Amino acid sequence: MRTEPTTFSAESYFATQLPPSTLQHDIDNIRQFLARQVKEGRNVVLVTSGGTTVPLELNVVRFLDNFSTRGATSAEYFLKAGYAVIFMHRQFSLQPFSRHYSHSTNPFLDFLEIETAQNELGGSSRISVTPEKREHLLEVLTAYKTVHALGTLHTLTFVTVNDYLWLLRAVSQEMAILQRRSMFYLAAAVSDFFLPRQKMSEHKIQSGKGSLLIEMDQVPKILKPLVDEWTPGGYIVSFKLETDENLLLPKAKQALERYGHQVVIGNDLHRRKFEVVFVTRKSPPPTVVADATKPTDPFDEYWLRIDIPAHPAPGEPVKEIEEDIVAELVKRHAEWIKQA
Amino acid sequence: MRTEPTTFSAESYFATQLPPSTLQHDIDNIRQFLARQVKEGRNVVLVTSGGTTVPLELNVVRFLDNFSTRGATSAEYFLKAGYAVIFMHRQFSLQPFSRHYSHSTNPFLDFLEIETAQNELGGSSRISVTPEKREHLLEVLTAYKTVHALGTLHTLTFVTVNDYLWLLRAVSQEMAILQRRSMFYLAAAVSDFFLPRQKMSEHKIQSGKGSLLIEMDQVPKILKPLVDEWTPGGYIVSFKLETDENLLLPKAKQALERYGHQVVIGNDLHRRKFEVVFVTRKSPPPTVVADATKPTDPFDEYWLRIDIPAHPAPGEPVKEIEEDIVAELVKRHAEWIKQA
C-alpha cells in the first residue's frame, strides 16, 4: 500500500458526484419534521450511525465497508433526554429500540409462544410472550410507542459514502434554522476513501487471472464546510476511532484544530465500550506563560469510564457507556446554548 | 485497475492463513448434528448465504463486502421439503423465518400492542399481536417452532472470506459421510479477492494525504478441491451472478467445465428475483456429429421464470422464485441419488 496525491474538495465532490435519487424526498420530510420540533420547542440532534460502503462497480456487487454501532444506542438516550432525533443510519444496521432484539443474538421469535385453546368452535391459537421476557419487552415497547406518538424520531438511511455525504449536507443545511439548539453526533464510521463514479467499472469486475489493484481517492474533509458554512450554529461532536492508543489524543486534537468544531470523542477500538475521552478547546484559551519552554496545551481532556461487570448474570441489564456520553453532552450543550 | 499474477492454491491458502478460533467447536457441533440426521434418514443440504468481508487491517476497521439474500429464503423451502439444513451465513445477514421481520422493512415492534387492563389489584399490561398480522406470524412461528423441535436446522456464522473458506472445507469434509444424500447450495457471495494476513496493516490505515492503493490476491478456487477431495459424493450447486447478461451462460459453462460439479445456477443481478438458468452437463454426453463445423453443445440449459405481479396488493403474499428453484433441485437430487 502506498499513497499518492489527491484532489477532491467538498465543492468539487458535489459538483462531480451524483446525489441519491431520493434526496429531494428526504429533504421535504426533514423540513416537516424540523418545523414541528421548532414549534414544540425541542432541541434536535442528528445522530449518524453505521458504516458507509464504497462501491467498486456502478452495478454494485462489491463494496468496501466498515462498522459502527454507537449511534443506535445513543439515539435512545437522546430521546429519553427529551431531544428530537434524526437518526441517519446505514441501511440494515442496528436501530434504536429494535437493537435489543437482534435476529442473531436475541431473536424475537424465540420468546413468542403459541397457545392453543379448545372451545366449542374447535381449536384456536394465540401468540403470547414468554413470561421472563415480558418485562423487558414491555419497557422497550413502551418507549418505542411513546416516541412514535410524540413524533420525535425521524429515520434516514444511507448505503454508500456518497449517499452519506449528500444527506449530511442536506440535513445540516435544514437544521441551520435551529441555530444553537441543534446538535450533531457524528458516530457513523465514514470511509476515508472512495472510488469516483468516473473511475468505476460498469460491470462486475472479472476475477480473471491475477490480483486486483484498486486506487481510491480521499473523501473530502466534510467537517470543515459543515462547521463553517452549512450549519454555523450547531454543536458538533465528532468521533475518532483508533486501534493504536498512542494516536488517539494527537489525532483528536488535530481534528479540533483543523475543523474548529466543539468536541471530539476519542475511542480505542478495543476499549470503546467502557472508556472514551472528550477533547475540547480550553475556554477561555490559556494565557501565554513566561516559560516558553513549556508550551501550554490549548485542549481539555475529560475521560469517561464505566465499570464492566466481570461476570454479568444472564439477563441482567448491562450499563451502557452511551448513557453517560449522552448525559455529559446534554449538559454541555445546555451550557453552550446559554452562552449564546 | 490492472491485474498482476497471483499464487494461492487451496493448499497454500490453508497452509498460510489462520483458521477462525471457533473452528473446532463448530466442527464438533456439526458432527453431532449430522450423526442425528444420518440416524433419522434425512438428506442434508448445506446452504451458504450472505457476503464475505475482506479485512484490510488486522485490527479490522475497514473491509470489502458484497451481498446475497438468496440463501435464507431457500433454506426455508429445503426445510419444508424435509431436508436437514446447515445454514452457513454471514453474521447479521438475513436468516430463515426471522427474514420476514427485517428491522428495516417490517419491524416486529410495529405489530405488537400494549393492552392495559384494570382489575382490583390495579392496572396490568399485556402484549398482543395486531390482528391483521396474527395469521402470518402464526404461520412463520409454527414453522420455526417445528424446525426447532425436529432439530433440522443448524446455523453457522462467518464474517470474513477466511472464516468462510475454513468452515466450508470443514463442513464439506464432515458431510462426506452422507455421500450422495448431501447437497451443497452455495449461494453466498464470496469475494474473489482477499488480502493475505501477511500483507495487512496492523492498525487502522491512516488517511493522511493522498489516495489509497490496495493490491489484493485472488481467493483460491475452492470448488475444485470441494468436488475432487473434500466431499466426492455431494450434489453441488453453485451460483453465478453477473451484471452483463451476455456473460451469464459462458461463465456458467466455464465453471462447470473447470470444476466438474453438478449444477450452476446463473442469475442476472437485475432479473434474479424472477429468472434464473440451470446449467448442467448433458447426460449422456452428445455423440460427435459428422459436421464438425457445428460443434455440439455439451450443456443443457433450463430456464426457470416466475411472474412478478405488476402491482401486488399490500400484504398479499408474493411468490418467491426460491420455492421453484428448491423444488427443481430436490427432484434432480432424488434422481441423482437413484442413479448411484
Side-chain angles (χ1 to χ4, degrees):
Chain A
M1 273 170 226
R2 61 195 172 80
T3 54
E4 285 186 0
T6 183
T7 45
F8 282 94
S9 66
E11 206 178 2
S12 67
Y13 183 93
F14 291 111
T16 57
Q17 307 301 306
L18 297 178
S21 59
T22 52
L23 187 66
Q24 193 52 52
H25 172 81
D26 284 339
I27 292 174
D28 295 343
N29 288 337
I30 291 161
R31 207 167 282 167
Q32 273 182 34
F33 177 80
L34 290 176
R36 188 156 85 210
Q37 307 311 329
V38 169
K39 206 174 123 196
E40 297 178 2
R42 282 190 197 91
N43 294 344
V44 179
V45 61
L46 169 71
V47 175
T48 70
S49 186
T52 61
T53 75
V54 181
L56 304 186
E57 296 125 340
L58 290 172
N59 281 296
V60 54
V61 178
R62 295 201 185 78
F63 46 87
L64 258 181
D65 205 343
N66 47 25
F67 75 90
S68 143
T69 54
R70 182 88 83 199
T73 311
S74 304
E76 276 183 36
Y77 290 109
F78 276 117
L79 288 162
K80 220 180 219 174
Y83 274 66
V85 173
I86 297 178
F87 184 68
M88 184 176 136
H89 77 116
R90 161 69 179 282
Q91 194 184 17
F92 307 131
S93 70
L94 291 180
Q95 295 184 53
F97 308 113
S98 65
R99 73 180 173 99
H100 299 280
Y101 300 99
S102 148
H103 290 315
S104 304
T105 56
N106 191 21
F108 81 101
L109 289 173
D110 273 356
F111 60 78
L112 293 183
E113 290 171 359
I114 302 169
E115 292 172 3
T116 309
Q118 291 293 333
N119 60 27
E120 52 279 32
L121 296 168
S124 82
S125 293
R126 212 171 68 80
I127 297 164
S128 68
V129 179
T130 316
E132 64 271 28
K133 296 284 189 175
R134 229 170 263 169
E135 194 186 347
H136 183 243
L137 178 58
L138 199 60
E139 200 180 295
V140 172
L141 196 58
T142 304
Y144 180 79
K145 301 275 179 200
T146 305
V147 161
H148 276 253
L150 287 174
T152 48
L153 175 62
H154 185 74
T155 299
L156 290 169
T157 62
F158 58 84
V159 177
T160 66
V161 65
N162 185 57
D163 299 340
Y164 173 88
L165 294 172
W166 281 96
L167 271 177
L168 180 64
R169 185 173 78 159
V171 174
S172 62
Q173 287 171 338
E174 294 299 326
M175 283 176 70
I177 57 158
L178 284 148
Q179 298 180 339
R180 290 217 162 197
R181 301 198 63 172
S182 67
M183 193 197 296
F184 292 79
Y185 185 86
L186 306 173
V190 182
S191 175
D192 292 320
F193 303 101
F194 80 111
L195 200 60
R197 58 187 304 280
Q198 291 78 2
K199 289 189 187 175
M200 270 187 227
S201 161
E202 186 180 344
H203 289 296
K204 183 179 172 188
I205 299 166
Q206 292 302 323
S207 56
K209 302 161 188 64
S211 62
L212 175 69
L213 205 68
I214 304 170
E215 186 183 4
M216 282 186 287
D217 288 331
Q218 260 198 313
V219 166
K221 295 301 178 194
I222 214 71
L223 266 177
K224 193 75 190 149
L226 180 76
V227 173
D228 294 345
E229 300 165 35
W230 302 340
T231 193
Y235 188 78
I236 298 170
V237 183
S238 73
F239 286 79
K240 194 52 104 179
L241 175 74
E242 292 293 338
T243 64
D244 178 351
E245 59 180 339
N246 296 320
L247 287 178
L248 197 55
L249 284 172
K251 300 290 285 186
K253 291 173 182 178
Q254 187 190 60
L256 273 190
E257 250 168 6
R258 193 174 283 171
Y259 309 121
H261 61 301
Q262 282 67 42
V263 186
V264 175
I265 298 182
N267 44 163
D268 178 87
L269 180 66
H270 303 290
R271 304 170 64 77
R272 69 191 187 283
K273 290 190 175 170
F274 52 94
E275 180 187 278
V276 300
V277 56
F278 287 58
V279 184
T280 50
R281 268 184 308 278
K282 277 197 167 74
S283 169
T287 49
V288 181
V289 284
D291 182 0
T293 58
K294 278 194 187 164
T296 318
D297 187 350
F299 299 103
D300 274 328
E301 295 162 26
Y302 171 77
W303 288 88
L304 198 158
R305 293 185 182 91
I306 60 167
D307 292 330
I308 292 283
H311 303 286
E316 190 192 317
V318 174
K319 166 84 176 180
E320 295 172 316
I321 195 169
E322 288 79 7
E323 182 174 0
D324 292 355
I325 295 175
V326 168
E328 180 65 27
L329 286 175
V330 166
K331 198 181 73 188
R332 291 178 184 221
H333 189 205
E335 285 164 13
W336 192 74
I337 292 171
K338 255 191 274 168
Q339 285 165 21
Chain B
M1 274 172 228
R2 61 193 170 80
T3 54
E4 284 185 1
T6 182
T7 45
F8 282 94
S9 67
E11 205 178 3
S12 66
Y13 183 92
F14 290 111
T16 56
Q17 308 301 307
L18 296 179
S21 59
T22 52
L23 188 66
Q24 192 52 52
H25 173 80
D26 284 341
I27 292 174
D28 295 343
N29 288 336
I30 291 161
R31 207 166 282 168
Q32 274 182 33
F33 177 79
L34 289 176
R36 188 156 85 209
Q37 307 311 328
V38 169
K39 205 173 123 196
E40 297 179 2
R42 283 191 197 90
N43 293 344
V44 179
V45 61
L46 170 71
V47 176
T48 70
S49 186
T52 60
T53 75
V54 181
L56 304 185
E57 297 123 341
L58 291 172
N59 281 296
V60 53
V61 177
R62 295 201 185 79
F63 47 86
L64 258 180
D65 205 343
N66 48 26
F67 76 90
S68 145
T69 55
R70 181 89 81 198
T73 311
S74 304
E76 276 182 37
Y77 290 111
F78 277 117
L79 288 163
K80 221 180 218 173
Y83 274 67
V85 174
I86 297 179
F87 184 68
M88 184 176 137
H89 77 116
R90 160 69 180 283
Q91 193 186 17
F92 306 132
S93 70
L94 291 180
Q95 294 184 54
F97 309 112
S98 65
R99 72 180 175 100
H100 299 280
Y101 300 100
S102 147
H103 290 316
S104 304
T105 56
N106 191 21
F108 81 101
L109 289 173
D110 273 356
F111 59 78
L112 294 182
E113 289 172 358
I114 302 169
E115 291 172 4
T116 309
Q118 290 292 332
N119 60 25
E120 51 280 30
L121 297 167
S124 83
S125 293
R126 211 171 69 81
I127 298 164
S128 69
V129 179
T130 316
E132 63 271 28
K133 296 284 188 174
R134 229 170 264 169
E135 195 186 346
H136 183 244
L137 178 58
L138 199 58
E139 200 180 297
V140 173
L141 196 57
T142 304
Y144 180 78
K145 301 275 179 199
T146 305
V147 161
H148 276 252
L150 286 173
T152 48
L153 175 62
H154 184 75
T155 299
L156 290 169
T157 62
F158 59 83
V159 178
T160 66
V161 65
N162 184 57
D163 299 341
Y164 173 88
L165 294 172
W166 281 96
L167 271 177
L168 181 63
R169 185 173 76 158
V171 174
S172 62
Q173 287 171 338
E174 294 299 326
M175 282 176 70
I177 56 158
L178 284 147
Q179 299 181 340
R180 289 217 163 196
R181 302 197 64 172
S182 67
M183 194 196 295
F184 293 79
Y185 185 86
L186 305 174
V190 182
S191 175
D192 292 319
F193 303 100
F194 80 112
L195 200 60
R197 57 188 305 281
Q198 291 78 2
K199 288 189 187 176
M200 270 187 227
S201 161
E202 187 181 344
H203 289 295
K204 183 179 172 189
I205 299 165
Q206 292 300 325
S207 57
K209 302 161 187 64
S211 61
L212 175 70
L213 205 68
I214 304 170
E215 186 182 4
M216 282 185 287
D217 288 333
Q218 260 200 313
V219 166
K221 296 302 178 193
I222 215 71
L223 265 177
K224 193 74 188 151
L226 181 75
V227 173
D228 294 346
E229 300 165 36
W230 302 340
T231 192
Y235 188 78
I236 298 172
V237 184
S238 73
F239 285 78
K240 194 52 106 177
L241 175 74
E242 292 294 337
T243 64
D244 178 351
E245 59 180 339
N246 296 319
L247 287 177
L248 197 55
L249 284 171
K251 300 290 284 186
K253 291 173 182 178
Q254 188 190 61
L256 272 190
E257 251 168 7
R258 193 173 284 171
Y259 309 120
H261 59 301
Q262 282 67 43
V263 187
V264 175
I265 298 182
N267 44 164
D268 178 88
L269 180 66
H270 303 290
R271 305 170 64 77
R272 69 191 187 283
K273 290 191 175 167
F274 52 94
E275 180 187 279
V276 301
V277 57
F278 287 58
V279 184
T280 50
R281 267 184 308 279
K282 276 197 167 74
S283 170
T287 50
V288 181
V289 285
D291 183 0
T293 58
K294 278 191 187 165
T296 317
D297 188 349
F299 299 104
D300 274 329
E301 295 162 26
Y302 171 76
W303 288 88
L304 198 158
R305 294 185 182 90
I306 61 168
D307 292 331
I308 292 283
H311 302 287
E316 191 191 316
V318 174
K319 166 84 177 180
E320 295 172 315
I321 195 169
E322 288 78 7
E323 182 174 359
D324 292 356
I325 294 175
V326 169
E328 181 64 28
L329 286 176
V330 166
K331 198 181 73 187
R332 292 178 183 222
H333 188 206
E335 286 164 12
W336 193 74
I337 292 171
K338 256 191 274 172
Q339 285 165 22

